[in-house]
Amino acid sequence: MTGDEDQVSEDLWREAAGRVQADQDIDVLMEARGLMIAEMSDVTAVDRRRALVAGDSIRLAVRGRRWLSGKLVSQAADYLVLSPSGESPDRILVPSHAISMVHDLPHALRIDRPEPLGRELPWNSLLRKLIGHEIRIEIDGESLAGPLNWVGRDHVSIGAGRDSLTCMWSSIDVVRFDYRASS
């Protein structure tokens, strides 16, 4: 073989090797895509939300498309707590079941938070710290305010004059409170 024939032969081998490598790369990419899609099917919105860390800004809508925004203070699987603005002592507890949309939720498959957001109290334990304090509950756009006087397993009661109103947790969209009351 002459030098030109050797070069042509070498070029053909390189081109063939490049095509084989490209086919293998496509196979690997397709397999990785398939694995990612399969893993995505098990990821919940709560999993993705829990990729947020305390201090992150969040904007979300509750039932009825009422938008809330603020800094994330804490969260657990069944709720999150927001600080609506700067140094205000106001806090907004949002039950997970009331969240209908979240703006720019991270695309997280695995949660690797460098630090926990704090003790993850169940919603009713968190609210029990507020017994006797004024809270505002929002249900379907209606706002009810009064002192919190009972926190059960699936409901809360607030004072309404001499009576009390018992609200099912599953119907509550938002609970507003002063965080200083829970300290």
Side-chain angles (χ1 to χ4, degrees), residues 25-42:
D25 290 348
I26 289 171
D27 290 343
V28 168
L29 287 173
M30 294 305 291
E31 185 176 345
R33 182 179 186 275
L35 290 171
M36 186 178 78
I37 288 171
E39 188 169 340
M40 259 193 244
S41 68
D42 289 333

Side-chain angles (χ1 to χ4, degrees), residues 40-97:
M40 259 193 244
S41 68
D42 289 333
V43 175
T44 66
V46 170
D47 293 334
R48 291 180 59 195
R49 188 190 80 209
R50 290 173 56 95
L52 297 169
V53 295
D56 283 350
S57 292
I58 185 170
R59 184 169 180 255
L60 58 88
V62 295
R63 295 179 280 214
R65 233 180 137 160
R66 289 178 294 131
W67 286 92
L68 304 168
S69 60
K71 300 275 186 198
L72 182 65
V73 174
S74 64
Q75 66 174 317
D78 57 350
Y79 69 87
L80 58 86
V81 177
L82 298 177
S83 174
S85 62
E87 300 301 315
S88 169
D90 295 335
R91 295 293 183 262
I92 304 172
L93 184 147
V94 183
S96 294
H97 64 256

Side-chain angles (χ1 to χ4, degrees), residues 88-161:
S88 169
D90 295 335
R91 295 293 183 262
I92 304 172
L93 184 147
V94 183
S96 294
H97 64 256
I99 299 170
S100 58
M101 292 182 272
V102 181
H103 188 263
D104 278 343
L105 201 56
H107 292 242
L109 295 178
R110 294 195 193 330
I111 307 306
D112 294 322
R113 284 196 313 244
E115 56 194 47
L117 284 173
R119 290 187 12 221
E120 293 181 357
L121 296 173
W123 68 269
N124 45 11
S125 293
L126 177 75
L127 287 180
R128 282 188 191 105
K129 293 180 172 189
L130 298 171
I131 288 178
H133 295 278
E134 186 81 13
I135 66 168
R136 180 173 301 280
I137 295 174
E138 296 175 17
I139 299 174
D140 291 330
E142 186 175 338
S143 186
L144 310 163
L148 181 63
N149 58 25
W150 188 270
V151 180
R153 183 179 201 174
D154 63 351
H155 64 282
V156 299
S157 294
I158 60 172

